[in-house]
């Protein structure tokens, strides 16, 4: 592999920078620091901007959590444990995304991408608020603390959180090309794999008319997360085009495999085998199926070609139709060099 260079954060204001589209790069560019958003190189970012702001929602407006509070007490002990443990992991994921995205954003040298990463960080903060809104209404105050700090008593969760945090921390402590690209992949995996067995659990409950308001909240979160998947997929593909010496396909495969194994182990740990509709086999196959879909987004071959069907296909009917809008943007990197990107209009 090529030498692992240090990478520097952009200066806040760099009067001698060049903002022209032909000089623009996803990382390591020489920008002034101004957000000249009339000149756009990455059209996918401008499309995502429209979708992300169009998705605006507020957790406080989601109705029916009072019904969930009554119903929560009627859930089986296994369902209650899974509900709490899964929320605890989701709370961690959104906390770390909110706090860490700005660290990576300092190294992105295209204002249209800086823009959507800022909106993403804002959305992750809203997701954190949505968990607070759920916990405020659905569970007792002592359970609230138990959920936030479940990692203190659950070794498996603690190790998982430490692993995820560790990759980001490695980049902050030692910002090299390799650690930056590794961080991009880690973001992609978090957004595209780690949330989804948790989401499937809430959909499964809702399909049995249990905890329906919680699932409504989860649907809004998922709609946002799908745009985040697309952001990082595109960033990884841009690195491949612009910095083939930084792009590392083997790293993507290795990290994906690790992510799938960890996600399966954690999900089986927290779901057990007494949740109706969620067998350990379903969990494993769903995670692998999802992984195949995510690699396909990056233009890569599946790690699990034997898994061709989504075991939770029946749950799709429950999911917000808008959730799948994200797929529209999951296309390959557009041919921006010759495209209308040079004109850079923000209109569709
Ligand atoms: Zn989120
Ligand atoms: Zn996200």
């Amino acid at each position: 592999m090529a030498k692992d260079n240090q990478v520097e954060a952009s200066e806040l204001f760099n009067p001698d920078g060049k903002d022209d589209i032909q000089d623009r790069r996803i990382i390591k560019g020489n920008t002034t620091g101004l957000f000249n958003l009339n000149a756009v190189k990455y059209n996918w970012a401008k499309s995502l901007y429209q979708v992300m702001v169009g998705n605006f929602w507020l957790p406080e407006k989601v109705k029916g959590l009072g019904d969930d509070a009554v119903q929560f007490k009627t859930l089986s002990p296994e369902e209650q444990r899974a509900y709490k443990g899964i929320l605890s992991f989701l709370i961690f994921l959104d906390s770390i995304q909110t706090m860490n995205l700005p660290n990576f954003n300092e190294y992105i040298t295209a204002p249209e991408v800086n823009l959507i990463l800022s909106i993403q960080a804002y959305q992750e903060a809203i997701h954190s608020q949505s968990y607070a809104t759920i916990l405020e209404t659905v569970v007792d105050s002592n359970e609230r603390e138990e959920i936030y700090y479940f990692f203190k008593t659950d070794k498996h969760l603690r190790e998982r959180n430490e692993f995820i945090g560790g990759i980001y921390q490695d980049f902050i402590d030692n910002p090299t090309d390799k650690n930056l690209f590794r961080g991009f992949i880690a973001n992609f995996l978090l957004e595209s794999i780690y949330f989804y067995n948790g989401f499937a659990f809430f959909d499964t409950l809702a399909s049995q008319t249990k905890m329906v308001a919680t699932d409504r909240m989860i649907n809004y979160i998922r709609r946002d997360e799908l745009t985040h998947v697309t952001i990082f997929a595109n960033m990884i593909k841009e690195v491949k085009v612009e910095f083939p010496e930084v792009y590392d396909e083997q790293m993507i495969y290795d990290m994906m495999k690790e992510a799938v194994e960890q996600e399966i182990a954690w999900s089986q740990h927290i779901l057990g085998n007494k949740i109706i509709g969620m067998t350990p086999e379903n969990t494993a196959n769903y995670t692998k199926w999802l992984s195949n879909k995510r690699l396909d987004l990056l233009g890569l071959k599946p790690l699990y070609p034997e898994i061709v069907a989504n075991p939770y296909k029946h749950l799709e009917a429950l999911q917000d139709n808008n959730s799948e809008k994200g797929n529209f943007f999951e296309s390959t990197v557009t041919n921006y060099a010759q495209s209308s990107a040079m004109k850079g209009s923000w209109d569709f």
Side-chain angles (χ1 to χ4, degrees):
M1 225 196 103
K3 180 165 147 278
D4 193 17
N5 297 309
Q6 290 293 126
V7 50
E8 280 176 31
S10 303
E11 281 178 48
L12 286 174
F13 180 51
N14 170 26
D16 299 322
K18 285 201 161 105
D19 291 338
D20 304 326
I21 285 170
Q22 59 269 26
D23 296 318
R24 196 168 296 180
R25 299 289 179 270
I26 190 86
I27 51 173
K28 301 168 179 268
N30 178 28
T31 66
T32 63
L34 277 185
F35 271 37
N36 178 348
L37 296 170
N38 291 105
V40 169
K41 176 174 179 181
Y42 305 103
N43 272 317
W44 51 266
K46 121 184 147 175
S47 303
L48 278 164
Y49 166 80
Q50 299 279 3
V51 177
M52 292 172 86
V53 295
N55 281 348
F56 179 80
W57 66 287
L58 284 172
E60 292 81 358
K61 302 244 164 141
V62 174
K63 294 197 169 39
L65 285 170
D67 296 336
D68 281 18
V70 175
Q71 206 168 26
F72 184 73
K73 298 191 186 338
T74 71
L75 297 181
S76 72
E78 293 80 14
E79 286 169 334
Q80 288 193 6
R81 176 177 173 271
Y83 184 97
K84 293 193 279 189
I86 286 169
L87 274 181
S88 189
F89 182 51
L90 297 183
I91 287 167
F92 169 77
L93 295 179
D94 274 302
S95 303
I96 201 165
Q97 287 304 81
T98 306
M99 295 306 289
N100 183 54
L101 282 163
N103 296 327
F104 279 84
N105 212 355
E106 283 180 49
Y107 293 81
I108 304 301
T109 50
E112 63 272 40
V113 182
N114 297 125
L115 174 75
I116 58 173
L117 286 171
S118 299
I119 296 169
Q120 181 184 345
Y122 156 84
Q123 291 182 331
E124 310 294 19
I126 292 281
H127 300 169
S128 298
Q129 179 58 33
S130 74
Y131 304 128
T133 306
I134 292 172
L135 297 192
E136 177 86 26
T137 311
V138 176
V139 299
D140 298 335
S141 58
N142 59 324
E143 286 178 306
R144 218 173 283 151
E145 292 296 297
E146 183 198 331
I147 292 169
Y148 275 115
Y149 301 103
F150 189 48
F151 67 84
K152 293 196 177 183
T153 52
D154 189 275
K155 193 163 161 279
H156 194 134
L157 181 61
R158 182 185 169 127
E159 284 172 5
R160 190 152 197 228
N161 291 355
E162 281 176 339
F163 179 85
I164 293 165
I167 295 177
Y168 290 161
Q169 194 67 48
D170 284 347
F171 172 67
I172 294 166
D173 296 344
N174 185 21
T176 64
D177 285 353
K178 190 178 165 194
N179 283 343
L180 179 63
F181 190 64
R182 195 166 160 251
F184 282 10
I185 304 168
N187 270 284
F188 178 70
L189 294 172
L190 188 155
E191 299 286 348
S192 74
I193 300 286
Y194 297 163
F195 283 108
Y196 292 84
N197 279 293
F199 291 168
F201 169 72
F202 292 113
D203 291 342
T204 298
L205 286 188
S207 74
Q208 300 160 20
T209 60
K210 293 172 186 166
M211 311 306 282
V212 174
T214 304
D215 192 54
R216 204 171 292 137
M217 194 85 87
I218 291 293
N219 266 316
Y220 281 113
I221 295 172
R222 169 171 36 219
R223 191 175 66 174
D224 291 339
E225 302 304 356
L226 281 170
T227 60
H228 308 166
V229 173
T230 314
I231 293 173
F232 277 92
N234 278 295
M235 284 166 56
I236 289 168
K237 287 190 283 193
E238 295 295 355
V239 171
K240 183 178 185 176
V241 172
E242 296 178 358
F243 299 93
E245 71 282 10
V246 175
Y247 180 79
D248 185 344
E249 208 153 277
Q250 192 55 48
M251 189 191 278
I252 298 175
Y253 280 120
D254 292 345
M255 288 177 71
M256 176 62 88
K257 191 161 182 294
E258 173 79 40
V260 166
E261 284 165 8
Q262 285 197 15
E263 175 66 10
I264 291 172
W266 157 254
S267 299
Q268 294 185 349
H269 165 69
I270 203 65
L271 291 167
N273 57 7
K274 284 192 179 147
I275 307 290
I276 297 163
M278 299 196 87
T279 62
E281 190 190 5
N282 278 349
T283 303
N285 288 346
Y286 176 61
T287 311
K288 290 174 180 175
W289 173 83
L290 203 56
S291 151
N292 290 345
K293 272 193 66 164
R294 301 322 194 193
L295 285 171
D296 186 56
L297 260 187
L298 299 178
L300 300 178
K301 291 194 178 69
L303 277 171
Y304 311 96
E306 71 283 7
I307 309 290
V308 293
N310 175 8
Y312 298 135
K313 185 136 186 65
H314 61 284
L315 298 175
E316 280 175 5
L318 281 163
Q319 296 161 4
D320 188 309
N321 288 332
N322 287 335
S323 305
E324 293 307 318
K325 259 189 198 162
N327 289 340
F328 176 72
F329 299 101
E330 292 175 355
S331 53
T332 51
V333 173
T334 47
N335 206 359
Y336 49 77
Q338 302 98 303
S339 78
S340 60
M342 299 302 280
K343 297 187 206 99
S345 166
W346 282 88
D347 303 323
F348 276 119

